[in-house]
Amino acid sequence: MKKLFAMMMTALMVFVLAACGGSNEAQNESGSDNGGSGEVKTIRAGIGLNDQHPQFKGLLKFKEIVEEKTNGAIVVEAYHSGQLGDDRTMTEALQLGTQEVTIPSTAPLANFVPEFSVFDFPFLFPNEEVADKVLDGEVGQGFLQKLESQNLVGLSYWENGFRDVTNSERAIATVEDFKGLKLRTMENDLHLEAFRALGANPTPMAFTELFTAMQQGTVDGQENPYATIYLQKFYEVQDHVSNSHHIYSPFVFLMSKSFYDGLTEEQQQIVKEAAVEAGQYERELNREANEQYLADLQAEGMTYTEISPEEREKMVELVKPVIDKYAEKIGKDVVDEVYNAVEEASK
Ligand code: KDG
């Protein structure tokens, strides 16, 4: 009888433990509740680049920090290669609350908050250090506030990097070499107009469609940082690369506002700090391998062509009217604020 009673008690305990430890209950290592309501919150985080890119490694770092610091109360599922969509559709999903995190370039984000286009003004940032100071400083952080009206929370800036042009038609050494080239750009009017001003024939396209478009010859070329050109294997469908460095592309770490608002204050602090720390890690990874990626591209058979400072100066002149037009559109005060911050950070 005693034995039967003990067996029944054991079965009851197993049942209770299983119920408490189910998928909706988070416990820390000591077995106690991890704070908050005990409910596990899931962040589905998606990016367009593949799992080799520093952006994905940064996302895994974010996952590690968040899951550790919340004792598993927040779980991060990381998706790469546009598995959840492209920059634009994922940002829309954040607005709808059907996805929690994405890290788009500022160019597609400008379709939601037009002021973000200023960061894509050609030749705005002279180097990465200045970009860090402006983006992480008062001005950059002020821009993040502008996202709230779009049901988005901007937690930090990461780095896509200086964009360089590739194509399969000819080596680009001079401005004339852009003439008539069918170049894919990100979905952003400023990018389109800047390439038109250089004489190219640009076409906007989501990143998820780019490789096939180059493979099938729908476009002759594209522009992206060396990391992307190498890690996405664009060398398989592109012959020439030049150091145009025409735009410094930041990434913005975005969270769905409705999800963020549902977090406890402590959790909000954790995701914010994790987005900053993982972003610093991503920037470091991106920078340390940059020159190597260019060497790797050449090793894969691409021709590398330098654009001289004189030719780059001609490019600067050609895109000036486009910059002026967009400065007018965005608002002179906002644009001046950014240019002043760049000047200050360059001292
Ligand atoms: O994950 C980010 C990418 O989706 C995208 O921003 C890459 O620079 C990019 C491009 O050219 O679309």
Side-chain angles (χ1 to χ4, degrees), residues 54 159 279-289:
E159 174 173 278
Q280 271 151 7
Y281 173 72
E282 186 262 359
R283 281 174 177 170
E284 274 163 33
L285 288 183
N286 208 40
R287 287 168 198 177
E288 80 196 10

Side-chain angles (χ1 to χ4, degrees), residues 158-171:
W158 292 21
E159 174 173 278
N160 194 347
F162 279 101
R163 305 182 77 87
D164 294 298
V165 69
T166 69
N167 79 99
S168 295
E169 286 293 302
R170 61 185 91 104

Side-chain angles (χ1 to χ4, degrees), residues 47-49 55 87 103-105 160 163 184 186 207 224 251:
I47 60 165
L49 296 167
Q55 193 188 29
D87 282 353
I103 319 173
S105 300
N160 194 347
R163 305 182 77 87
R184 173 270 178 178
M186 288 191 278
F207 186 75
N224 251 299
F251 284 137

